[in-house]
Amino acid sequence: MGIAARPSYKVIPQDVSCTMSVLDFLCSAFPAISKDVWVQRIVDGHVFWEDRSLISCDSVCRAQQKVFYYREVATEIHIPFDEKIIYEDEHKLIVCKPHYLPVVPSGPYVDSCLLNRLISRTGNTELTPAHRIDRDTAGLVLFSKKPSERGLYHGLFASGEIQKTYRAVGVLNRVISAQEMKAGWRIENRIIRSTPRFRQQAVDATGQDINARSLITCLEQSDGLGLFELSPLTGKTHQLRVHMAGLGFPLLNDPYYPVLLPEQSKDDFSKPLQLLAQAMSFTDPVTQQIHRFTSSRPLLWPPDSGQ
């Protein structure tokens, strides 16, 4: 059994009836988890209000209140790749995440997530990621070490005060001209949810309707593949994957774009998504120190490298 080191929570909506039990609310909010499982979690004291008072099977909903619970999985999925701490001071950690490892607990991943690995490794239960990258993506993630400073580091990303650079290997559906190699592409459009809900799609937009912007440059091309540098100017879910597919250069080993591939029962660790959050630079909001961090984690480049 895997259980998260820290609780998650769900806010009870304003329109939920005050006669509805918290147990029934949780069952409706998480239909994939059986009622028997929620009953056992409640009996074990793993479901509670924000003041840490326990919730019973008969407790009724309180509108706008947070219901805390611990994520649990019966069988933990092991990710056979290691994270690497790039930098640490009294305020923050910069960590290079491997492919396949989620940043925080999600779905069948509890102990097998970057946050819980770092808590176990450092003993600091106050660690919090200032941002997230996809489970399929490798690369740099910034963690705040002190609760009082979380908002400052999160604000770097929310306000665009941090510069992020990605490297990627894309499949070339056409040869890129010398002029395109020099000029690159500036992509501006609107990204919205697609079907299924975990996929995104880009639609044309202008002005304030634009919510996704990326700068993309091809550094090299060889044997039907290209090595790209990507600079997201916004942070929409799957933004770089969607923009690369829209250019006709979908990322190598991407199971979502441009076509959703059949779901596999297990990850194929021999085919990681070729996307790396390679560098970030920012002025620390606490120390005012200027930082630039770079990951040396390799991608499958050049094509015959066999990495």
Side-chain angles (χ1 to χ4, degrees), residues 169 220-227 252 300-307:
V169 178
E220 302 177 48
Q221 55 182 321
S222 177
D223 296 334
L225 297 175
L227 177 65
L252 184 62
L300 300 178
W301 190 267
D304 59 354
S305 64
Q307 293 178 4

Side-chain angles (χ1 to χ4, degrees), residues 178-291:
Q179 181 179 354
E180 288 177 307
M181 290 284 289
K182 181 179 179 180
W185 300 266
R186 182 184 179 96
I187 310 300
E188 296 187 341
N189 52 30
R190 183 171 185 81
I191 289 181
I192 61 175
R193 286 191 181 277
S194 183
T195 304
R197 285 178 58 82
F198 57 79
R199 292 184 81 232
Q200 310 294 314
Q201 65 174 322
V203 296
D204 291 336
T206 58
Q208 294 183 349
D209 290 334
I210 293 172
N211 66 3
R213 295 179 172 87
S214 302
L215 301 178
I216 299 174
T217 304
C218 183
L219 304 176
E220 302 177 48
Q221 55 182 321
S222 177
D223 296 334
L225 297 175
L227 177 65
F228 291 84
E229 182 173 279
L230 317 169
S231 298
L233 305 180
T234 53
K236 301 301 291 183
T237 299
H238 294 178
Q239 175 176 315
L240 296 177
R241 298 165 73 168
V242 171
H243 283 174
M244 286 292 289
L247 283 175
F249 314 134
L251 298 184
L252 184 62
N253 299 331
D254 193 336
Y256 290 176
Y257 306 98
V259 177
L260 179 63
L261 300 181
E263 184 177 3
Q264 303 295 315
S265 58
K266 294 183 179 180
D267 287 317
D268 184 347
F269 293 136
S270 69
K271 295 182 178 180
L273 177 72
Q274 291 302 285
L275 182 61
L276 172 70
Q278 187 218 22
M280 63 168 63
S281 57
F282 59 93
T283 299
D284 189 291
V286 179
T287 68
Q288 301 305 308
Q289 183 177 358
I290 297 174
H291 289 291

Side-chain angles (χ1 to χ4, degrees), residues 76-94:
E76 182 79 24
I77 297 176
H78 174 64
I79 307 300
F81 306 108
D82 296 328
E83 72 282 358
K84 180 180 180 180
I85 294 178
I86 302 295
Y87 174 86
E88 179 177 7
D89 61 26
E90 62 179 302
H91 306 285
K92 60 188 176 295
L93 276 176
I94 307 295

Side-chain angles (χ1 to χ4, degrees), residues 3-260:
I3 183 168
R6 294 194 298 193
S8 301
Y9 67 85
K10 186 77 172 178
V11 178
I12 298 175
Q14 181 67 47
D15 59 355
V16 168
S17 171
C18 62
T19 62
M20 184 182 193
S21 71
V22 175
L23 174 59
D24 287 341
F25 167 73
L26 290 170
C27 290
S28 64
F30 302 98
I33 302 175
S34 72
K35 186 173 185 176
D36 289 343
V37 169
W38 281 117
V39 168
Q40 190 60 54
R41 291 183 183 182
I42 290 172
V43 170
D44 291 341
H46 293 169
V47 183
F48 47 91
W49 299 110
E50 191 167 6
D51 64 1
R52 304 296 294 192
S53 60
L54 296 181
I55 289 172
S56 73
C57 293
D58 297 323
S59 296
V60 296
C61 288
R62 306 173 187 172
Q64 302 282 274
Q65 296 300 300
K66 296 176 181 178
V67 176
F68 286 80
Y69 61 94
Y70 288 95
R71 289 182 178 270
E72 301 177 21
V73 293
T75 303
E76 182 79 24
I77 297 176
H78 174 64
I79 307 300
F81 306 108
D82 296 328
E83 72 282 358
K84 180 180 180 180
I85 294 178
I86 302 295
Y87 174 86
E88 179 177 7
D89 61 26
E90 62 179 302
H91 306 285
K92 60 188 176 295
L93 276 176
I94 307 295
V95 185
C96 183
K97 181 186 85 67
H99 292 100
Y100 303 103
L101 187 72
V103 173
V104 296
S106 62
Y109 306 95
V110 175
D111 290 329
S112 289
C113 77
L114 184 59
L115 174 61
N116 284 346
R117 282 189 180 185
L118 291 173
I119 289 175
S120 177
R121 182 171 171 177
T122 66
N124 183 357
T125 60
E126 303 294 346
L127 281 175
T128 303
H131 64 120
R132 302 181 190 181
I133 58 177
D134 294 343
R135 184 178 81 88
D136 294 333
T137 304
L140 300 181
V141 183
L142 188 158
F143 283 80
S144 167
K145 298 177 73 172
K146 299 179 180 180
S148 61
E149 298 170 354
R150 289 173 185 169
L152 295 175
Y153 288 107
H154 177 75
L156 288 174
F157 295 87
S159 62
E161 295 178 70
I162 192 163
Q163 290 75 50
K164 297 176 288 180
T165 303
Y166 288 69
R167 288 290 173 93
V169 178
V171 179
L172 304 185
N173 290 327
R174 60 179 176 81
V175 174
I176 300 174
S177 69
Q179 181 179 354
E180 288 177 307
M181 290 284 289
K182 181 179 179 180
W185 300 266
R186 182 184 179 96
I187 310 300
E188 296 187 341
N189 52 30
R190 183 171 185 81
I191 289 181
I192 61 175
R193 286 191 181 277
S194 183
T195 304
R197 285 178 58 82
F198 57 79
R199 292 184 81 232
Q200 310 294 314
Q201 65 174 322
V203 296
D204 291 336
T206 58
Q208 294 183 349
D209 290 334
I210 293 172
N211 66 3
R213 295 179 172 87
S214 302
L215 301 178
I216 299 174
T217 304
C218 183
L219 304 176
E220 302 177 48
Q221 55 182 321
S222 177
D223 296 334
L225 297 175
L227 177 65
F228 291 84
E229 182 173 279
L230 317 169
S231 298
L233 305 180
T234 53
K236 301 301 291 183
T237 299
H238 294 178
Q239 175 176 315
L240 296 177
R241 298 165 73 168
V242 171
H243 283 174
M244 286 292 289
L247 283 175
F249 314 134
L251 298 184
L252 184 62
N253 299 331
D254 193 336
Y256 290 176
Y257 306 98
V259 177
L260 179 63

